[in-house]
Amino acid sequence: MLMACGGGGDANVEAPQIPPGPLAAFTQQKLDWQACDPELNGEQYEEQLAPLGERARCALMRVPLDYDHPAQGELQIELLRVAAAQPQRRLGAIVFNPGGPGEDGQASALVYGAQWAQASPEDVRGTRLREMGNRYDLIGFSPRGTGASNPLVCNVAGSFEEQDSLTFNRSAENLQQAQHNARLMAQACVNNPLSQHIHTEATARDMDLIRGLLGDAQLHYIGYSYGTWLGNWYARLFPERVGRMLLDSSLNMVEGLDGQFMLQEMANQRILDEIMLPYAERHQDKLELGSAAALREALLALPPALQEALFDDIDFKDSSLIERAVLRMSAAVGLGKLMHAHPDADGEALQTLAQSHAFSPLPRINEAAVQMALELIKAQDEDENKVVEESWAEVDAQGAVWLLPEFTVNMTVRCNDTGSQGDEQYWLGVSNDYVARYPMVGGSGVAKPCLYWPAPPRKMPPLPAGQGLPILMLQSRYDGATPVESALATWAAWPNARMIMVEDEYEHGLFPYGTECVDVQVADYFLDGTLPLRTSSCAGKPLPGEAGA
């Protein structure tokens, strides 16, 4: 266990020297900050890297494979630091985690460093964001198992079964195939010895090592989605070292991961019923989809393959994309009518029919809907009995299937952190219940890799005595990925936590949000330690095409 470095006081106070011990080889290393490879994080980051100049530097940090047995070996963690623009006024370092689990967070410091540096100096919001970049080092890192150094890549020993949508194909055969595939996924990573060292406690300790090597007595932190779970774990392990901590779009820290991820189905159905469908009703002049209730019935009446193609590509995390989501619904409804009227039409015939169909009375919108309908026709053909998803696996030249780090770390952290309750029959029952309640997005719970995970789950440390940490939380009322119920449970567990609720939209991962109400309060917290009320709210940004947008 890392030795205590003291808490409270100035976050920029130099951390005390840690006496030699089993971890001395790690706690006494010196980080070698070098110019970052401009291609390290992909071409999209090159434009952000250039204007930051020498402020942006990268380093490799050595961490023990197992903190309890540091002689067993080590891993390397990739770091990216954007140094404070005014180092003489430095308040400390903010460490970022973008979520997942499984997302590579090294570029987070680069993204926010560039964004804050370019904020407008003409308004209070921009001024405060620029000041955060002036006074804090920003630290992005690749959590263990991600990045180029030690990726958790798992080889599948066996063959995946063809698997259709678990929402729209509830046949016994399809459900059994999903369970078979979940077993294969779990076994693939269980067979990789690195997997037993990929869990939130190890990553929290890695973050504390970052803090110590930077010479800071406290860790300042911004975590999104799963990053809120990681931040909570750190705060329970090292409460005296917690500085200013923002938990943005929170998981429920008092329950296991497996069950609460199921709440996404409830939350996504809520977005459909309470945000998207009423939005479509308000824009009759563009799409003529009828009432929200009528549109809901029309969507439920679509052929299953078309429903799958539609809902596979609707974004439930970003309110700014609602126009695209509703346009896709319009295209699906129109396409469903064509398929009903021409039951023998193949894909090519449907394309011809769609190109002459009137989806909207407005030419520009109709043209976009036609293109969306053509995409849906293609997606139906491509999605049918797809065995390997490109997002979580790849097939090499010899036909071997490899699970990719973003997926393997996600699965491994969930299984190692809290495992899964029940058995196959339990989750079959849960998924049957959810697909009945949430008929457009429910039913995925039948496939649970953690049911086949042999390692016992770890336990999050208990809440510290007093529970008085002044954590700041930020949440969208309609968040689909981390529902508001989860955030409120975490908020209730920390009696001194403060919650800012953003109303009437469903963006996931908010800060910086783009409004003064949200961003100035967060910046004031990091710059001055100013805390808002125990609960407060900010108006959400208007939906596209509506008043104020």
Side-chain angles (χ1 to χ4, degrees):
M1 182 174 178
L2 296 179
M3 301 299 292
C5 292
D10 187 348
N12 199 31
V13 173
E14 184 175 350
Q17 292 296 313
I18 301 174
L23 293 172
F26 303 101
T27 60
Q28 296 180 5
Q29 68 183 294
K30 183 176 176 59
L31 296 175
D32 183 19
W33 296 102
Q34 300 285 339
C36 300
D37 180 350
E39 298 182 0
L40 183 64
N41 291 293
E43 294 181 3
Q44 66 268 37
Y45 298 116
E46 289 187 40
E47 294 182 5
Q48 295 160 330
L49 187 62
L52 292 169
E54 295 186 359
R55 289 178 59 202
R57 287 291 181 265
C58 291
L60 291 175
M61 179 181 74
R62 295 181 296 104
V63 301
L65 187 67
D66 184 333
Y67 276 88
D68 294 327
H69 305 93
Q72 283 190 1
E74 63 182 53
L75 301 173
Q76 288 187 321
I77 301 295
E78 296 158 289
L79 308 178
L80 191 154
R81 177 178 68 183
V82 176
Q86 298 176 1
Q88 71 279 8
R89 302 174 63 228
R90 180 182 181 274
L91 290 171
I94 298 174
V95 175
F96 292 87
N97 181 274
E103 289 192 39
D104 187 342
Q106 186 184 14
S108 296
L110 193 61
V111 171
Y112 295 114
Q115 188 179 104
W116 298 354
Q118 295 165 12
S120 171
E122 303 301 321
D123 57 65
V124 63
R125 174 186 170 273
T127 299
R128 296 301 273 172
L129 290 178
R130 291 168 72 94
E131 186 71 349
M132 286 183 69
N134 288 339
R135 304 200 65 186
Y136 279 100
D137 293 347
L138 309 181
I139 306 294
F141 72 103
S142 301
R144 53 177 58 205
T146 69
S149 295
N150 307 107
L152 179 65
V153 179
C154 303
N155 177 232
V156 177
S159 300
F160 284 117
E161 299 281 356
E162 294 181 348
Q163 179 184 319
D164 209 347
S165 165
L166 294 174
T167 302
F168 304 112
N169 182 351
R170 300 295 294 177
S171 68
E173 180 183 20
N174 194 50
L175 299 179
Q176 290 167 3
Q177 289 166 339
Q179 291 170 334
H180 166 83
N181 292 343
R183 281 192 295 271
L184 274 187
M185 293 171 186
Q187 192 58 51
C189 280
V190 167
N191 289 338
N192 186 331
L194 178 59
S195 67
Q196 63 184 292
H197 304 290
I198 307 296
H199 47 76
T200 299
E201 178 146 338
T203 301
R205 292 180 179 277
D206 293 343
M207 290 203 306
D208 198 57
L209 187 57
I210 294 172
R211 175 205 57 77
L213 294 176
L214 292 174
D216 291 339
Q218 293 182 312
L219 179 89
H220 306 294
Y221 178 76
I222 296 178
Y224 301 89
S225 194
Y226 161 78
T228 66
W229 176 269
L230 173 60
N232 272 294
W233 204 298
Y234 182 92
R236 289 177 174 221
L237 266 181
F238 308 110
E240 74 283 3
R241 303 178 199 173
V242 174
R244 291 163 191 170
M245 177 176 285
L246 174 67
L247 305 181
D248 186 326
S249 307
S250 289
L251 288 165
N252 181 348
M253 75 173 195
V254 298
E255 292 188 3
L257 288 175
D258 221 26
Q260 61 180 298
F261 275 109
M262 291 289 294
L263 289 178
Q264 292 177 352
E265 298 180 359
M266 174 275 293
N268 288 342
Q269 187 71 51
R270 181 164 60 196
I271 291 170
L272 275 165
D273 291 339
E274 299 184 23
I275 303 288
M276 290 183 174
L277 300 184
Y279 178 89
E281 181 176 332
R282 293 195 300 272
H283 292 271
Q284 288 296 320
D285 58 322
K286 299 177 182 177
L287 294 171
E288 298 181 333
L289 288 170
S291 68
L295 176 56
R296 192 181 199 275
E297 291 304 311
L299 295 175
L300 288 172
L302 295 175
L306 182 53
Q307 288 178 315
E308 179 180 2
L310 167 63
F311 288 109
D312 270 357
D313 196 34
I314 285 185
D315 193 307
F316 291 100
K317 295 182 180 181
D318 188 346
S319 295
S320 70
L321 300 177
I322 191 170
E323 285 182 307
R324 182 184 184 278
V326 172
L327 181 67
R328 194 171 179 83
M329 293 179 201
S330 174
V333 169
L335 190 57
K337 292 176 181 177
L338 292 174
M339 294 171 70
H340 180 75
H342 305 275
D344 296 326
D346 60 13
E348 185 175 345
L350 279 175
Q351 290 179 32
T352 301
L353 290 166
Q355 287 171 331
S356 59
H357 184 74
F359 294 90
S360 167
L362 303 178
R364 179 181 60 83
I365 295 178
N366 189 70
E367 181 180 353
V370 167
Q371 292 304 312
M372 197 74 74
L374 297 177
E375 290 178 15
L376 287 168
I377 294 168
K378 182 179 179 182
Q380 287 184 91
D381 295 335
E382 290 180 346
D383 286 345
E384 187 174 355
N385 293 329
K386 184 183 288 185
V387 179
V388 176
E389 293 283 350
E390 294 179 359
S391 61
W392 50 261
E394 66 179 21
V395 181
D396 66 20
Q398 287 71 45
V401 179
W402 297 85
L403 300 179
L404 300 175
E406 186 167 350
F407 175 82
T408 60
V409 173
N410 186 296
M411 175 180 66
T412 299
V413 169
R414 292 193 197 193
C415 297
N416 281 336
D417 275 13
T418 62
S420 188
Q421 63 178 330
D423 55 19
E424 287 184 349
Q425 281 303 118
Y426 170 83
W427 286 108
L428 178 60
V430 170
S431 69
N432 285 336
D433 178 42
Y434 274 43
V435 82
R437 291 195 207 181
Y438 318 121
M440 302 178 197
V441 291
S444 66
V446 70
K448 288 289 180 183
C450 295
L451 290 176
Y452 318 107
W453 200 263
R458 307 182 72 86
K459 290 185 178 180
M460 185 180 282
L463 283 165
Q467 308 169 13
L469 295 178
I471 292 169
L472 181 61
M473 299 178 65
L474 181 60
Q475 181 72 26
S476 171
R477 178 78 66 184
Y478 283 92
D479 190 341
T482 51
V484 65
E485 291 85 352
S486 296
L488 290 173
T490 294
W491 168 82
W494 290 107
N496 202 28
R498 313 302 171 91
M499 170 78 80
I500 302 171
M501 189 72 68
V502 177
E503 307 291 352
D504 301 323
E505 59 91 83
Y506 54 88
E507 188 167 337
H508 177 66
L510 296 162
F511 180 74
Y513 184 61
T515 69
E516 184 174 318
C517 181
V518 172
D519 294 344
V520 171
Q521 288 192 84
V522 174
D524 285 350
Y525 168 68
F526 276 95
L527 293 170
D528 307 323
T530 304
L531 283 165
L533 299 174
R534 173 79 165 139
T535 59
S536 60
S537 66
C538 289
K541 290 178 288 190
L543 297 176
E546 305 207 321

